[in-house]
Amino acid sequence: MPDFVFSGDEAIARGAIDSGVSAAFAYPGTPSTEIMEFLQAHWDEYKATLSDEERAFVVAQWCSNEKTAYEAALGVSFVGRRAMVSMKHVGLNVAMDPFINSALVKINGGLVIVVADDPGMFSSQNEQDSRILADFAHIPCFEPSDQQEAYAMVRDAFAYSEIHEIPVLLRITTRLAHARAQIQVSPGMAPRALKKCSDPTAWTLMPGFARPRWRLLLKKYERFRADGEELAKLELRDKALGVITCGIGLKYYLENEDDWAALHGDKRPSHLHIDRYPLGRDKIQDLSNYVSKILVIEEGYPYIEREIVGTFDAPLPVLGKLSGDLSLSGELTADSVRLALGLAPLEALAASSIELPSRPPQFCQGCPHGDSFNALKAALQDEAEFLTTSDIGCYALAALPPYNAVESCVDMGASIGMARGASCVGQKNAVAVIGDSTFYHSGMTNLLDAVAHRSKLTLLILDNSTTGMTGAQPTISPGSRMKTLIEGLGVEAAHIRELEAHRKSHDINVAAIREELTYDGVSVIILKRECLEYLKKVRQQ
Amino acid sequence: MNYNIILAGVGGQGGLSVSVLIANAALTAGFQVKQSEVHGMSQRGGEVVAHLRIADYEIQSPTIPKGAADLILAFEPLEALRYLPWLSASRGMVVSSLTPIRNFSAYPDTAEVVAEIKNLPNYRILDAETIARQAGNVKAANICLLGAAADLLPLKADSLRKQIELYFSAKGEAMVMANLKAFDEGRNKYGA
């Protein structure tokens, strides 16, 4: 098979296709988006390899949110076929309910969950580490260190999922997701046959059925631990230092290993590489008995480090993020690992002597959001009291100069709930600003709460026909149905305004927002105009 | 052999395209390649940086360690300065566009930025935008800069020309010609 140059995301998508996946579901989120984009771009090619009757029953779909994506994947597994669901780390929070409970059901067709963590917060609101959530759910977690492993692990994960009747979480991080390297692929597999699970009580988590499933899971979890232990690679070499790596930490370590050896008479540190969780204990214990110091190199939280500190027979220094030898925040780099290994930095040019302010991200030239925020600011100009909550999307950039137009960005859909809560307890002029995709994802239920309780709230939906921030993926519902949808949720028709998000409509828009601010109930103002990135993409197609 | 390149610019300048072009040429020449870039919010008119590593052995880190870059190819002068600590003290070279993108208020004085580049031990600075405009398309400034760095790369100029043809062929003959011309003009200026 020839080499391909794939990003980690693309390698994973290709791995799913070569595993005979029947269904893939996702909601866009950096750095996981390109998994579904690759699947969709290559889906026709994949279908062409399938028999006529199979071809109608393979899907790669964007979904409303990560929870709906996950639940659809569960259904696929129930009927015996392979499913993959992919998301960014905070997407797993949205899918937490099906995620945790799916550990208890009897997985039939393989179920692989790909979660892309974002240490360094390149495009996220936090640095949460999905390995901990896998442990919380008692779900095995596989962690590749490069693109080739990512490809192979998808195939292994499907097989493991079916053998042990358990979902498998594949955890990647931003650098792996978005870096490209050559990989070799193996021959593809055919999709599994449709065969419903013959034991529905194993999928019916009422207490009586769930209790034995939980006891079984606790037993299985020790098996997962033993399997991970077996695959961990331990090399006992120099006694001065033992290095534990996982994920991409391995690559940062290997980048520096030769230089360490050059300083230590050609000896190399003892080394344990872990690529599966739950964490095995024996090899860590073997390493600790052999060396006089351990360094843990892991991307994300100090998860392994926290598990092992203080657990050894004899006192043993453990260096890592808790000890301060690596930073608790941000991503690892070859440089930070180099210092933690006790190596001097490479000789580099000095930083510039003039101050280099960072270049803030901003709206594209002519972006409809800019016009919407100009209208909002003008409408609120003479108000002494107001609150503007916002949400996850490009429009959160309005929190920065020159707009300074919104005051929050917390999680998908929070703008509406927060504005409603604040309004309930006396905040005047509570305005929520949300994009169309985020509204479909998690805004609609908040709006339903507002309608049910007759909250005084003005909601601006910035409808640009796309999921813009992640590169213009289609939204789950067309903008043409937005008004009907909102009416269906119970907002009075007279207080649903559809306006054009454009400079030339500025005065009309300002007047409409002002009018709705005076209304003692729920108002929704839909500001419509297509995203420029979306238009560019449409033109290219 | 290993050669490490930092490609630095602002969203929309085509820095990632140049990275793909060089990577394809390197693969064709039988080298191993690792390329790292960042997507998402940081792309919106903000800084865009890609790391490209070429070697004749297995490359480990997807990003370039500080002090290990051979070349900063900068599509904007301020962005060139941002990555100086990645540049090797002994062999590092900056190839930069002269034209600033002043899309934020705290941008330093342009003359100061250019002077800072001209203080470096090894630099090439050129008005890639004007050269590209004269070659037929101002957007080819990125390819002009690639031309100005062409002799530094462990690749033949012809293999880069070939990749330019392949890359732009979908966009029509005029686009291919403008980019090839911009590349050659860049080479004439520095990278011949």
Side-chain angles (χ1 to χ4, degrees), chain B residues 123-182:
Chain B
Y123 72 90
R124 294 173 179 180
I125 190 160
L126 62 157
D127 185 355
E129 215 172 83
T130 302
I131 299 172
R133 190 178 299 116
Q134 285 163 358
N137 193 327
V138 67
K139 281 193 171 165
N142 58 345
I143 300 297
C144 174
L145 284 159
L146 173 61
D151 66 318
L152 305 169
L153 306 177
L155 300 165
K156 294 202 170 70
D158 277 349
S159 71
L160 291 167
R161 286 186 108 251
K162 176 103 196 131
Q163 291 300 329
I164 292 168
E165 282 175 40
L166 286 172
Y167 193 87
F168 292 102
S169 62
K171 295 178 178 173
E173 185 63 19
M175 196 70 166
V176 173
M177 294 316 291
N179 277 285
L180 285 176
K181 183 130 195 282

Side-chain angles (χ1 to χ4, degrees), chain A residues 143-309:
Chain A
E143 190 180 20
S145 68
D146 64 12
Q147 289 72 11
Q148 183 69 55
E149 268 185 22
Y151 171 80
M153 270 189 188
V154 172
R155 302 186 64 142
D156 293 346
F158 274 114
Y160 199 82
S161 170
E162 281 155 9
I163 293 166
H164 298 283
E165 300 171 338
I166 187 84
V168 175
L169 188 152
L170 185 76
R171 184 234 187 189
I172 57 170
T173 50
T174 305
R175 285 294 171 191
L176 179 56
H178 283 167
R180 289 168 197 284
Q182 287 129 293
I183 72 160
Q184 290 199 316
V185 302
S186 328
M189 299 165 68
R192 282 161 56 102
L194 190 73
K195 190 165 184 288
K196 210 169 89 173
C197 173
S198 57
D199 182 7
T201 62
W203 280 79
T204 308
L205 299 177
M206 296 157 66
F209 296 135
R211 281 185 203 110
R213 296 296 308 171
W214 172 234
R215 287 192 293 268
L216 176 65
L217 179 59
L218 289 172
K219 221 180 284 170
K220 281 173 24 174
Y221 205 51
E222 291 316 304
R223 173 67 196 274
F224 305 154
R225 195 184 302 283
D227 288 346
E229 175 83 75
E230 205 180 311
L231 289 166
K233 293 174 216 62
L234 175 63
E235 290 175 280
L236 295 176
R237 300 183 296 206
D238 193 53
K239 284 177 178 280
L241 177 65
V243 174
I244 299 177
T245 59
C246 59
I248 202 165
L250 174 67
K251 299 295 163 178
Y252 297 135
Y253 164 64
L254 290 176
E255 180 75 29
N256 292 298
E257 198 192 60
D258 285 349
D259 289 351
W260 196 92
L263 267 187
H264 294 82
D266 265 353
K267 288 195 210 127
R268 285 166 196 272
S270 295
H271 179 208
L272 174 63
H273 181 67
I274 293 165
D275 58 10
R276 294 195 184 187
Y277 311 88
L279 201 58
R281 299 296 178 156
D282 298 346
K283 284 178 182 161
I284 292 175
Q285 200 59 250
D286 292 347
L287 180 69
S288 75
N289 291 336
Y290 186 77
V291 299
S292 54
K293 186 168 73 179
I294 284 182
L295 169 66
V296 186
I297 303 170
E298 55 190 320
E299 189 74 291
Y301 288 7
Y303 171 61
I304 295 176
E305 189 183 353
R306 194 180 288 154
E307 290 266 311
I308 67 173
V309 165

Side-chain angles (χ1 to χ4, degrees), chain A residues 222-527:
Chain A
E222 291 316 304
R223 173 67 196 274
F224 305 154
R225 195 184 302 283
D227 288 346
E229 175 83 75
E230 205 180 311
L231 289 166
K233 293 174 216 62
L234 175 63
E235 290 175 280
L236 295 176
R237 300 183 296 206
D238 193 53
K239 284 177 178 280
L241 177 65
V243 174
I244 299 177
T245 59
C246 59
I248 202 165
L250 174 67
K251 299 295 163 178
Y252 297 135
Y253 164 64
L254 290 176
E255 180 75 29
N256 292 298
E257 198 192 60
D258 285 349
D259 289 351
W260 196 92
L263 267 187
H264 294 82
D266 265 353
K267 288 195 210 127
R268 285 166 196 272
S270 295
H271 179 208
L272 174 63
H273 181 67
I274 293 165
D275 58 10
R276 294 195 184 187
Y277 311 88
L279 201 58
R281 299 296 178 156
D282 298 346
K283 284 178 182 161
I284 292 175
Q285 200 59 250
D286 292 347
L287 180 69
S288 75
N289 291 336
Y290 186 77
V291 299
S292 54
K293 186 168 73 179
I294 284 182
L295 169 66
V296 186
I297 303 170
E298 55 190 320
E299 189 74 291
Y301 288 7
Y303 171 61
I304 295 176
E305 189 183 353
R306 194 180 288 154
E307 290 266 311
I308 67 173
V309 165
T311 63
F312 303 118
D313 302 336
L316 180 72
V318 176
L319 314 184
K321 298 187 170 188
L322 294 174
S323 71
D325 290 270
L326 288 161
S327 173
L328 272 168
S329 67
E331 61 168 353
L332 293 175
T333 62
D335 309 306
S336 62
V337 168
R338 189 175 177 85
L339 295 181
L341 281 163
L343 298 170
L346 299 174
E347 212 186 319
L349 281 191
S352 165
S353 63
I354 55 176
E355 206 190 321
L356 304 173
S358 72
R359 196 180 289 267
Q362 48 193 262
F363 294 135
C364 306
Q365 281 280 320
C367 171
H369 295 335
D371 297 326
S372 296
F373 285 111
N374 282 332
L376 176 61
K377 284 196 80 168
L380 289 169
Q381 201 172 23
D382 300 327
E383 301 292 339
E385 304 276 339
F386 62 82
L387 169 68
T388 51
T389 58
S390 191
D391 230 295
I392 310 285
C394 289
Y395 45 93
L397 293 173
L400 307 175
Y403 294 97
N404 300 314
V406 297
E407 300 168 283
S408 76
C409 167
V410 180
D411 68 83
M412 295 288 281
S415 61
I416 305 176
M418 284 179 62
R420 189 181 94 74
S423 166
C424 286
V425 296
Q427 174 64 50
K428 288 201 182 97
N429 295 317
V431 180
V433 186
I434 193 169
D436 48 340
S437 191
T438 307
F439 178 70
Y440 301 129
H441 179 290
S442 290
M444 295 195 298
T445 41
N446 267 316
L447 184 58
L448 203 55
D449 284 358
V451 168
H453 298 291
R454 303 186 60 83
S455 308
K456 182 171 171 0
L457 163 74
T458 307
L459 170 60
L460 265 54
I461 300 180
L462 308 187
D463 182 357
N464 62 358
S465 312
T466 194
T467 313
M469 171 89 99
T470 46
Q473 292 76 33
T475 53
I476 201 72
S477 175
S480 56
R481 286 216 297 266
M482 178 71 89
K483 188 159 187 279
T484 321
L485 182 69
I486 290 164
E487 265 189 71
L489 290 173
V491 179
E492 288 170 54
H495 293 282
I496 307 172
R497 314 279 283 259
E498 276 187 295
L499 303 168
E500 190 192 12
H502 201 286
R503 237 176 355 193
K504 65 181 199 280
S505 314
H506 180 76
D507 294 343
I508 300 169
N509 296 349
V510 174
I513 297 170
R514 279 204 183 121
E515 274 168 41
E516 295 304 335
L517 284 173
T518 65
Y519 174 58
D520 190 18
V522 181
S523 302
V524 178
I525 298 165
I526 308 164
L527 286 153

Side-chain angles (χ1 to χ4, degrees), chain A residues 5 34 123 175 178-180 182 252 254-255 335 347-349 353-354 356-359 361-362 468-469, chain B residues 27 33-37 39 41 44 47 53 61 66 76 78-79 82 85 87 89 101 103 106 112 116:
Chain A
V5 177
E34 291 83 357
S123 204
R175 285 294 171 191
H178 283 167
R180 289 168 197 284
Q182 287 129 293
Y252 297 135
L254 290 176
E255 180 75 29
D335 309 306
E347 212 186 319
L349 281 191
S353 63
I354 55 176
L356 304 173
S358 72
R359 196 180 289 267
Q362 48 193 262
M469 171 89 99
Chain B
L27 287 167
V33 162
K34 271 196 182 174
Q35 188 194 4
S36 186
E37 56 201 52
H39 303 206
M41 181 171 237
R44 297 279 173 268
E47 304 140 27
R53 312 192 73 185
S61 169
K66 284 187 176 159
E76 204 278 350
L78 181 69
E79 297 308 319
R82 219 182 275 292
L87 208 55
I101 297 187
N103 64 349
E112 246 184 273
E116 188 77 3

